[in-house]
Every structure is written in C-alpha cells, then in structure tokens.
Amino acid sequence: MGPGSDWNSVDGEGSRSFWTSMEKTLIILKPDAVKNKHIGHIVTRIEEEGFKILGMKLLQLSKSDAQKFYEVHKERPFYDDLCNYMISGPVVVAALEAPAAVQKWRDLIGATDPKEAAANTIRALYAESKEANAVHGSDSAENAQNEVAFFFKDGELIG
Ligand code: IDP
Ligand code: MG
C-alpha cells in the first residue's frame, strides 16, 4: 500500500467489480446556509452519512473567485446574480471523501430547485430558493478534482 492507497484499492488494477472506488467531492455551504445557522445541521448530516471530512474552511469569496468557480455557467442568464449571491456572505467549503462521493453527495442534497428536491434531502430541508439553495456539490469526479484544487493547496487536506 503506497501513498494515497486505501482500503478499497487493495484489489488493485482499478478493479470496480466489488468495491466502489473511493472518491473526493467538493462541497460548499452557501451564504443562505451559513446565514440561517445551518452549518451544524449540515455537518452533522455529513458525518452521519459516512463522509470523511478531508478539509473544511469558512471563507468570504471575492467576486472574481465566484466568477472563476462558476465559469462553466457564464453564458447562463443567472450567472451574474449567482456570482453576486455567492459573495453576499461567508461560505464554508469542504473536501469530502467516500465511496462514490460525488453521486452520494448529489443524492443527499437533492434537486437544484428545493421545490423539486426529494423529502429529507439537504436542499429540501434547508434551501431558500433555486438560487439560494444551501449547498453546492461537484458534478463529476474530474470536476471534483479541479474544485478541490480551487480551494485547497497540496498538503492542506487530511488523509
Ligand atoms: P447544481 O448546483 O444543482 O449542480 P447547476 O445547474 O450547476 O445546479 O447551477 C449552479 C447553481 O446556479 C445552482 O446551485 C443555483 O444556485 C444556481 N442556479 C441554477 N439554476 C438557476 C436558475 O434557474 N435561477 C437561479 N439560479 C440558478
Ligand atoms: Mg452544478
């Protein structure tokens, strides 16, 4: 077992036949979640659901941080509002690890619009609106790597 290996890679050769591969995802507790004092509820849920917290910090994003982070959406009509919303107050960013963490977190947060989010998902419980929807989650393992690197330097993560 070399650096970076873990319990579910001992079968080697990237076999996915039995173990689901361990993965990282980047999450953000957005300004509405922080303002509405839901940090504790959401972190409790993260722990209960079995994610390992590799890194976590409270930040005030700058406009250019928000624009860069959401660059994939720059042609969407809500881009400027979204960037302004994301700098309207502090956020908590965290890198989480679990088997299939990206999809596991997406399942746990529910649909983008809390009105469409399944019961007991984080957005159903805590989001204010489609824009102020409490939490972000990476949408692929590749984007998760980039998003983790956006907020955490090499060596900053535990594990
Ligand atoms: P996701 O966060 O569920 O992946 P995306 O489509 O990637 O949703 O959109 C990124 C963020 O942009 C959403 O979480 C939400 O805050 C905001 N957003 C998405 N669609 C709309 C919209 O139609 N109106 C306002 N804000 C939106
Ligand atoms: Mg998205």
Side-chain angles (χ1 to χ4, degrees), residues 29-39 42 58-59 85 89-92 134:
L29 313 190
K30 294 184 180 183
D32 64 297
V34 174
K35 179 191 75 185
N36 293 325
K37 304 190 191 301
H38 293 317
I39 295 175
I42 297 170
L58 181 73
L59 295 173
Y85 160 65
V91 298
V92 174

Side-chain angles (χ1 to χ4, degrees), residues 70 72-73 106 112 123 136-139 147:
Y70 278 119
V72 291
H73 295 309
R106 301 281 317 185
T112 306
R123 283 168 168 166
H136 168 81
S138 306
D139 62 5
E147 291 182 1

